[in-house]
Amino acid sequence: MERLTGTFKVKSGLAEMLKGGVIMDVVNAEQAKIAEEAGAVAVMALERVPADIRAAGGVARMADPKKIKEIMDAVTIPVMAKCRIGHFAEAQILEALGVDYIDESEVLTPADPEHHIDKWQFKVPFVCGARDLPEACRRIAEGAAMIRTKGEAGTGDVIEAVRHMRLMNKQIRMVRQASDEELVTLGKEWGAPVEVLRLIKELGKLPVVNFAAGGIATPADAALMMQLGCDGIFVGSGIFKSQDPERRARAIVMATTYYNDPKVLAEVSEDLGEPMRSISAAHLPERELLQVRGN
Amino acid sequence: MRVGVLGLQGDFREHLTVLRSLGVEARDVRTKEQILEIDGLIIPGGESTTMAYLLEKTGMLKVLRERGAQGFPIYGTCAGMILLARELDDPYPEQRLALMEIAVKRNAYGRQLDSFEADLQIKHIGSFHAVFIRAPKIVRVGSGVEILAEHDGAPVLVRQKNLLASSFHPELTGDPRVHRYFLEMVAQG
């Protein structure tokens, strides 16, 4: 019997399965096991978590394939990995490794000043960051099967993720209310492909899953983002740069499921030890912002 | 008739949408108390390790296992099927419902690159377009398990009295016929 692989349905379908869950950054097999046992729905295999990338400076690239394979062998949950914006050769390598999702990520140093990867050329699905709806639309037009807020990675400060989520929600409301001719004008003003805007108007929401990412450090942060309407949570440095990663990981998983139940949130927020060492995103100079990379 | 969809994680909203399109009162279920207020339950697609962790942590696992053993209708899709299986063919033991006499191998169709769409012939239903996402494979079925559909020689939709399980995701294709079949089971249950 015939099998169709690499269709948009199966690419976006995996993201649908991740909804209501937490995707955790890990840098080795041991951390991946801890994440899986704590209830993560997927792990992001990395050389360094964003906070360390930020501290190290220089050029951040795709992780060593050996490291990614170790992590893939350690867990049954999906494994994601990051490539640089526009670096389609890194993406080809990640696809050859058989990773389950590629994050074309602003956390790594961009490889192309103007273009993102043409993601339609790949059978492996891609997730991309966005700060607003037009940016999300451009990524979807390029073939992204999942979107996440950019936030400001590696800070432990949730304000940028909140800003991006609220702006997307507001712009989705604008699209829903726009007439057909207004949609064309919005598309022109925003630099957003009008076909994607039409789809959003028809569905009343993004045509793909939208997670929150960039600065989530506590169970309360995860609940805040879920209540703002995101479909799930990425936690980068927030878990393994905290004092008690296992406990915090479990607490964030519970908070993502019971985001509407303050009693559960109070219970799981208790006695978690120190969060990651955080920096206020507002105090970062423009040149240190990751969210402005790729647009 | 009130049907629940386990709302701990995964694509539970898609199941709720299909159920409501069939005119059924449907709700997401996140506590053990809520399990007692419904006539049947769907366990959606998602990550089985995540759901197993949360089921155990909330005490829902025990309640659900007891009800399931007493004839309460449960339909597991993908991750839900893993939770229903008595045997799991991989080295990661975990807490499951273990109610169905089937052996399941996780991700046996491959990783995401091998996720696929295919047309099936389903008993009592007919031809059905199905989506398989990092799907678990049924490698053995025990006595009392009826095979309702196969793909490439492996069962992909099976029933054991009040229990139904599929490797694929009928909630993703907008075709409500498998859900309707489950609702008939609930009505009879």
Side-chain angles (χ1 to χ4, degrees), chain A residues 215-238:
Chain A
I216 294 151
T218 68
D221 289 348
L224 173 70
M225 296 311 300
M226 290 298 287
Q227 288 189 43
L228 285 174
C230 72
D231 293 311
I233 303 289
F234 279 93
V235 188
S237 321

Side-chain angles (χ1 to χ4, degrees), chain B residues 90-119:
Chain B
D90 72 16
Y92 299 94
E94 63 183 8
Q95 295 285 341
R96 291 191 307 282
L97 293 167
L99 289 163
M100 276 185 103
E101 299 304 325
I102 53 175
V104 166
K105 195 165 160 46
R106 223 176 339 214
N107 303 332
Y109 288 96
R111 301 191 71 96
Q112 172 59 17
L113 283 170
D114 305 300
S115 290
F116 64 98
E117 300 181 47
D119 290 316

Side-chain angles (χ1 to χ4, degrees), chain B residues 51-61 65 95-96:
Chain B
M51 287 189 219
Y53 167 68
L54 291 166
L55 279 170
E56 171 74 34
K57 172 121 182 142
T58 54
M60 295 173 83
L61 191 70
R65 190 185 285 138
Q95 295 285 341
R96 291 191 307 282

